[in-house]
Amino acid sequence: MMFVDTAVVTGFSVGDLLLVATALFVTLAVMMLYRAILGPTNQDRVLAVNVLGTNTVVILALLGAALGEPWFLDIALVYALLNFMMSIAISKFTVERGGVI
């Protein structure tokens, strides 16, 4: 049995498909930026900023895979660690101020 790569059949390379996925994640990040700015509550804003950070990590990883540049993955890893630390700091600050319901 012979396997056919669907990316070759449709005329798109894997890099092109990864760039399309990157564009989709950028669109989702812009939509989440709207929620981060105009969120009705502080919890909505914190969650939106966390999702923005995660989207940034995914975008960097997809770009690294699409362009064949491994240093994008290094930056994505460092940014993921910073995003995690930011989430912990915001959670601690919110609990200390008594903002948790």
Side-chain angles (χ1 to χ4, degrees):
M1 177 185 270
M2 187 170 157
F3 293 102
V4 179
D5 188 6
T6 57
V8 175
V9 173
T10 60
F12 293 109
S13 68
V14 174
D16 292 338
L17 294 176
L18 289 173
L19 289 175
V20 168
T22 302
L24 177 67
F25 275 101
V26 168
T27 304
L28 292 173
V30 169
M31 292 168 54
M32 198 51 57
L33 184 64
Y34 171 79
R35 177 58 61 193
I37 293 171
L38 298 175
T41 64
N42 284 336
Q43 288 83 7
D44 287 333
R45 290 185 179 100
V46 168
L47 187 61
V49 168
N50 196 6
V51 170
L52 274 170
T54 304
N55 270 352
T56 303
V57 170
V58 171
I59 289 167
L60 286 170
L62 286 172
L63 279 176
L67 301 177
E69 297 288 338
W71 56 272
F72 274 103
L73 298 175
D74 295 337
I75 294 172
L77 182 62
V78 170
Y79 196 80
L81 291 171
L82 288 174
N83 188 35
F84 175 71
M85 294 302 290
M86 186 249 343
S87 297
I88 298 295
I90 288 175
S91 297
K92 184 175 178 170
F93 178 73
T94 304
V95 168
E96 286 177 357
R97 285 187 58 203
V100 176
I101 296 174

